[in-house]
Amino acid sequence: MQKSEQLLHYIESLDVGTRISVRQIANSQHVSAGTAYRAVKTAQARGLVATIDRVGTVRTDPRPRSTSAQLTFADLVRVIDGRVLGGSDGLDKPLDKFVIGAMKTSAMGHYISRNSLVIVGNREDAQALALESGAAVLITGGFDTTPEVMARANAAALPIIATSHDTFTVATMINRALSDQAIRRDILTVASLYTPREEASFLQLPATVGDYRSMAKASGHADIPVVSVSGRVVGVATSITVNERKDAAPIDRAMERHPAVVKTGESVATVNHLMQGRGLNLVPVVDDAGLLIGVLTRATVLAQLQETPEPEHLPATIADQLDATLSPVRPLLGGTAAYRVATAPVMTNKFGALNVGVLNGLVTSATSRYLRDNGRQNVLVDNITLSTLRPIQLSARVTIGLKILDLTRHGAAFDIDVTVDDVVAAKALLTCQLLERN
């Protein structure tokens, strides 16, 4: 076995979530830093390790354990552009739900469960309670925490993450990410079905036709990938390609060269189309470097596609919920359109005023609603500048009035007035792109 393969086996033997480094591998395996670096890069290409901002390189699972995608705390860090303050060993844990800690600690315990995420500000008592209950912590507003809380997070392997965003904005981002993950659950990919290299049958050069026949008889598979000394896929041997060949013949003269290969991110529907179109019973699964990481058989694909689970009704996102609070009213004087807002307590901050993040979302939803109602379905907001003139209380009568500054085939600009009891409380300038489907 080559040294590079020995290093890859060493990396595979590490527990998922273990932090690794080039220096650590070089020292423990007695190899040069260059050799260790190349092994880490190969492992990264195979999905065995990943680099996480502000954490480092960690051992990861190259394929999901099931077809249902789950958001992990490491994913969360990327979604909200967060900083990991402690508990980095638990970044691979799944995020089941999130709780906004906007109540006294005496009332919070009932709502916190293990592997949940508690979103709080600079409240060390609430942070400590969350960790004691087995939950991770997300600190909003750009605040840090105390060394004692960080030590608890490290001991419990529960991430404690900081972000500069406010609570509502973070909740919106997480809600959207959870919704996206639920949608991905229906997009079955090769990653969830393929047989990994360690469990698959393959031949390595220099092999012979006799080696193929022995392996085919033992495995029950007639199609067997052929790889080079470095592990790169160079062909596929089949019962047709070896027909009438002598056992001593080299396999590289009795195989299909340049075979079809797939990668882990490709959809199973696409692979099924490929297999049917070319009459393939097996395709090698490769990484970005063309190295064999597993195989996928047509029988496995067909068995999965024959399953017809009940369609899942996805929960409404926060953006959808905000859109539902808008109802059209007669336009304001000189306006183009206007929408009344049905406010709710969850939209307010601790002072009882409408949260600025909520107001941003309402303005965006009102603009998108107007454009959709006028036949422009695909709206991408470029920029929104919001200026608040006075706080908006929960009991106020809030109206969002739109004035068109520019409307073309490809873009639009709006001047927006947010009025409270007919008095302007906020103004916004919003520009967006109008995308057309091909």
Side-chain angles (χ1 to χ4, degrees):
M1 182 182 297
Q2 290 189 337
K3 198 64 178 179
S4 58
E5 287 297 323
Q6 291 178 354
L7 294 179
L8 287 174
H9 281 300
Y10 166 72
I11 294 173
E12 285 179 313
S13 70
L14 300 175
D15 292 333
V16 172
T18 303
R19 280 184 286 184
I20 64 176
S21 68
V22 171
R23 177 180 295 178
Q24 175 257 322
I25 292 176
N27 291 339
S28 64
Q29 300 300 301
H30 307 292
V31 297
S32 67
T35 302
Y37 175 79
R38 287 189 294 272
V40 170
K41 283 300 181 182
T42 302
Q44 191 170 19
R46 294 189 183 184
L48 297 173
V49 301
T51 301
I52 302 174
D53 290 342
R54 305 179 182 91
V55 175
T57 302
V58 297
R59 171 77 166 87
T60 56
D61 191 343
R63 61 186 187 131
R65 293 179 177 85
S66 67
T67 58
S68 62
Q70 275 191 296
L71 197 71
T72 66
F73 293 115
D75 297 325
L76 174 65
V77 173
R78 289 189 288 270
V79 167
I80 65 172
D81 191 25
R83 294 182 295 116
V84 180
L85 303 180
S88 58
D89 289 342
L91 286 171
D92 276 341
K93 292 180 179 178
L95 169 59
D96 293 337
K97 68 173 185 177
F98 65 90
V99 179
I100 297 177
M103 60 195 80
K104 294 182 178 179
T105 52
S106 58
M108 286 177 59
H110 176 72
Y111 299 94
I112 303 174
S113 59
R114 298 190 67 83
N115 291 333
S116 63
L117 175 73
V118 178
I119 304 176
V120 295
N122 56 339
R123 295 176 54 193
E124 286 81 7
D125 56 342
Q127 298 163 14
L129 175 63
L131 295 171
E132 290 171 4
S133 304
V137 177
L138 174 59
I139 305 173
T140 58
F143 296 107
D144 285 326
T145 189
T146 62
E148 291 76 16
V149 171
M150 285 190 282
R152 289 188 182 184
N154 290 329
L158 290 169
I160 183 163
I161 305 163
T163 178
S164 58
H165 297 296
D166 63 78
T167 299
F168 179 83
T169 301
V170 162
T172 303
M173 296 166 78
I174 297 174
N175 191 282
R176 172 61 69 182
L178 289 171
S179 178
D180 288 346
Q181 289 294 92
I183 292 171
R184 290 191 185 99
R185 195 176 303 147
D186 294 330
I187 305 176
L188 196 61
T189 63
V190 172
S192 60
L193 293 183
Y194 79 93
T195 301
R197 173 187 168 122
E198 295 75 22
E199 303 171 18
S201 299
F202 64 93
L203 294 167
Q204 189 172 43
L205 297 179
T208 65
V209 171
D211 295 330
Y212 163 82
R213 290 184 173 127
S214 298
M215 184 171 290
K217 183 178 180 180
S219 66
H221 295 296
D223 296 5
I224 298 179
V226 181
V227 301
S228 65
V229 175
S230 63
R232 185 179 182 85
V233 174
V234 293
V236 172
T238 69
S239 57
I240 296 176
T241 62
V242 302
N243 188 32
E244 298 183 357
R245 296 274 187 170
K246 295 182 178 180
D247 284 351
I251 196 65
D252 60 350
R253 296 184 182 178
M255 68 181 187
E256 177 190 348
R257 295 180 179 274
H258 310 296
V261 297
V262 297
K263 295 183 179 179
T264 55
E266 296 183 43
S267 71
V268 172
T270 301
V271 176
N272 180 55
H273 179 77
L274 169 69
M275 290 178 136
Q276 287 187 344
R278 298 182 58 172
L280 303 175
N281 294 317
L282 175 145
V283 288
V285 182
V286 301
D287 60 16
D288 291 336
L291 301 176
L292 181 72
I293 61 173
V295 298
L296 181 61
T297 65
R298 188 174 183 181
T300 301
V301 171
L302 292 177
Q304 186 65 40
L305 291 178
Q306 286 170 1
E307 295 182 6
T308 54
E310 290 294 322
E312 180 178 352
H313 297 285
L314 299 177
T317 65
I318 291 180
D320 296 330
Q321 295 172 25
L322 290 179
D323 186 72
T325 66
L326 300 174
S327 56
V329 296
R330 188 174 64 183
L332 302 177
L333 183 63
T336 302
Y339 298 88
R340 183 67 44 76
V341 178
T343 57
V346 72
M347 297 180 176
T348 62
N349 57 28
K350 63 181 180 179
F351 302 110
L354 201 66
N355 186 292
V356 175
V358 173
L359 189 55
N360 257 296
L362 289 169
V363 168
T364 301
S365 294
T367 307
S368 299
R369 170 83 71 85
Y370 171 77
L371 291 169
R372 288 199 308 270
D373 291 346
N374 286 273
R376 315 305 286 271
Q377 297 296 320
N378 303 299
V379 180
L380 177 62
V381 175
D382 271 336
N383 184 59
I384 178 171
T385 303
L386 179 69
S387 300
T388 55
L389 307 178
R390 53 180 53 85
I392 302 174
Q393 299 301 311
L394 177 63
S395 58
R397 187 165 55 96
V398 181
T399 305
I400 298 176
L402 310 179
K403 297 178 184 178
I404 295 178
L405 299 179
D406 184 43
L407 180 58
T408 66
R409 181 178 177 182
H410 300 292
F414 290 87
D415 181 19
I416 302 167
D417 286 340
V418 180
T419 61
V420 176
D421 299 328
D422 298 326
V423 177
V424 177
K427 292 188 68 69
L429 179 65
L430 184 147
T431 59
C432 58
Q433 296 181 42
L434 304 179
L435 308 177
E436 294 185 355
R437 292 187 182 273
N438 294 325

